[in-house]
DNA sequence: AATGAATGAGAGTTCATTCAT
DNA sequence: TATGAATGAACTCTCATTCAT
């Protein structure tokens, strides 16, 4: 019993500590990350500013705890999704489902992170709008291909987004690896995957 | 004479404006976005701080101009890439090439934007590292599939990134559209595209 | 029994109080006076912060007790040194010995108090260095006088320090007494004492 | 003319800069060093807090400037006093006079530094009082010696202070040099100087 | 058009002190 | 008596913005 109490404490720490982290999450969710100031956290958590420093060494630790509270479950679930005794294809499926479910569950939070409803950083809004415009135009291309019978009939907006993000995936891999290899090869890679997927050539199709 | 003067003035004004924007880009590139302060921009541009406010309404406008200076060419090129008289497939290829070329050309800038070389905000580093860890684990799954003969042999790191970003693409579409439709369907969509691509079923393969 | 309990309590209370005071002394000695915070005292003493306020009214009282613990013995010994049945000269000798012995015994503590080993307040360091520079220069003057045969051959650094502090002694007496009397007279006083001492003119010399 | 202006500027810098330093000096003088906060300096100087950071990098620089404004002249004069073509004895005399004059001139400032009229650090007051008590007791010893005909008749308070500070001079030399040499020798040194001075044995007395 | 000193709100952090348990 | 979480004022420092020159 005492044990349980202690364990609980260890996991959730103090009520106040929880309140603070929750406050941080709420602020990020409602106002965006740049709004995360110690004053606001204290106000939202209903404690004095000094109290924050009893429970956390500094702002970074509060931020980390807030991110952890949101994001850690994702990574935990993701790990579970691909660690079991599954075929590679099943693993990809699990991964995909876990991702989508997770962001669905936390949509308020991530809508802010990604599209930031917040005041200050609305600079991105403009680029977000431009981005959306291009998604639409790529979707038009997809629709065009569907009409011409060269593409399958799928949700063209989502397909367009997949295509664009696939390019970004390759771009970021190049950036991160400091890889300045053949652009042609990477274009072929993206196009190949988008057009024909990664399934082995003789493999039978997934049943949808 | 007056004309000349005016022209000169216009050029000079433009020059100063350009200097300021260039300074902003240089600071972001070298020191990261949180280092973008008016003081630093003025110093880098070789003008007084007050001068910035003659040419730009506020910091946001300088930031926008800096982003514009970098990003606008991308959107212009992207537009060119898909506006001409091409087949849908060619358009996608053009789009892909334009993207990769562009980020390659501006890799210094975007490495900072994406991976945030700077000191203070290294909070993200942790999440970036977690992300990279998962890319590696998904790449392992891909390799596993290759060994089992169910996936083609491709750069598994890039394929993993494409897969993960494809999921994010769908997630963000859902977020943006406030679409809470069937998760299963979206999992199928992602898996379908990743496995078999979007090419119409009878279509002949791209030649690589 | 109740007696015993009370006694015990009294001892325990005293023990805790002693622990606190010892902790304060240790912190000052090791880390300097600005490091003397209630948190650190509590940690060092092995009690909770609130406990400090049971035994002492406030920080000042802890500081006073700590200073007292160190300095009181000096004043006690000093009193003993000059209270007995000695000649004036013997008293001065006792006084001198008591002083030097005392600071020797507590050198760690006073090196911090005087020379401020700590980081933050290194402002003083600069003035301390200037002071030391002047001690050296005055020592050079003393050495010069020795070579010229007008001064005795003594530890010129210590003599220089004695001379400089003698001036400060007079300065502080003037300050404390709000004495704005003849500067010439005080210069003569210092020079007279430094050159010929205070011994009555006919008196025979101390034997060294 | 422009030259003069520039020179002036270089020496005195901006008016505001002067105001700030003066404000710092005033605060130290009136309220003691711990009262030197940026808020108070700004208030006293009649500028905004942010303005302080235009003219000084941080608090330390303001403090240094304030100390410099007061103390630098002393060191400059002291240097002048001992650098000229004087006999060693004259140099000591010049030094002494410079010291006393200087502290007389800045008595307000140094009374605070030494005896601190301020609230917070009144801890020292107690020790200052103890110190004064001992000066009085040593003065009594001196008077006793005078009556017994072994000491000359001088201002016994100042002589007592000189004696006590001479001991401190030796103590601090020992502390600073980490010198743990013979205490007896140092007692003899102090007593010797106090009793007979440092003049060479055959030298003729100063004329007072 | 250009300057740069001045502003002032607000940031993160520290710490002596209080008080319910 | 002992605890330690909570307080809140005070601290140093940053920075976008204004404005007289």
């Amino acid at each position: 019993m005492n044990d349980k109490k202690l364990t609980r404490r260890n996991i959730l720490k103090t009520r106040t500590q929880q309140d603070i982290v929750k406050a941080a999450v709420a602020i990020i969710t409602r106002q965006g990350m740049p709004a995360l100031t110690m004053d606001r956290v204290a106000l939202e958590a209903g404690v004095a500013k000094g109290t924050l420093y009893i429970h956390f060494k500094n702002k970074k630790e509060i931020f980390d705890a807030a991110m952890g509270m949101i994001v850690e479950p994702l990574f935990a679930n993701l790990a579970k999704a691909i660690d079991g005794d599954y075929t590679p294809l099943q693993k990809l499926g699990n991964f995909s489902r876990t991702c989508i479910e997770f962001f669905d569950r936390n949509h308020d939070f991530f809508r802010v992170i990604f599209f930031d409803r917040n005041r200050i950083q609305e600079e991105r809004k403009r680029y977000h709008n431009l981005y959306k415009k291009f998604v639409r135009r790529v979707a038009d291309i997809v629709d065009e291909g569907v009409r011409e019978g060269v593409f399958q009939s799928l949700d063209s907006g989502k397909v367009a987004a997949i295509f664009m993000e696939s390019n970004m995936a390759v771009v970021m891999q190049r950036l991160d690896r400091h890889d300045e290899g053949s652009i042609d090869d990477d274009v072929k890679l993206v196009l190949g995957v988008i057009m024909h997927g990664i399934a082995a050539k003789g493999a039978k199709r997934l049943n949808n």
Side-chain angles (χ1 to χ4, degrees), chain A residues 13 44-45 54 57 70 72-73 83 98 105 114 124-125 157 169 174 179 187 195 203 206:
Chain A
K13 298 282 171 87
E44 176 83 22
I54 296 169
K57 216 185 103 204
I70 293 286
E72 233 92 280
D83 270 349
T98 304
R105 213 160 34 235
F114 292 141
R124 291 188 200 165
K125 203 158 220 163
R174 292 174 68 94
D179 160 9
V187 172
M195 288 303 290
L206 290 172

Side-chain angles (χ1 to χ4, degrees), chain A residues 3-14:
Chain A
D3 245 6
K4 224 177 199 167
K5 221 175 175 181
L6 273 172
T7 315
R8 260 247 169 112
R9 276 238 174 110
N10 280 344
I11 295 169
L12 307 172
K13 298 282 171 87
T14 314

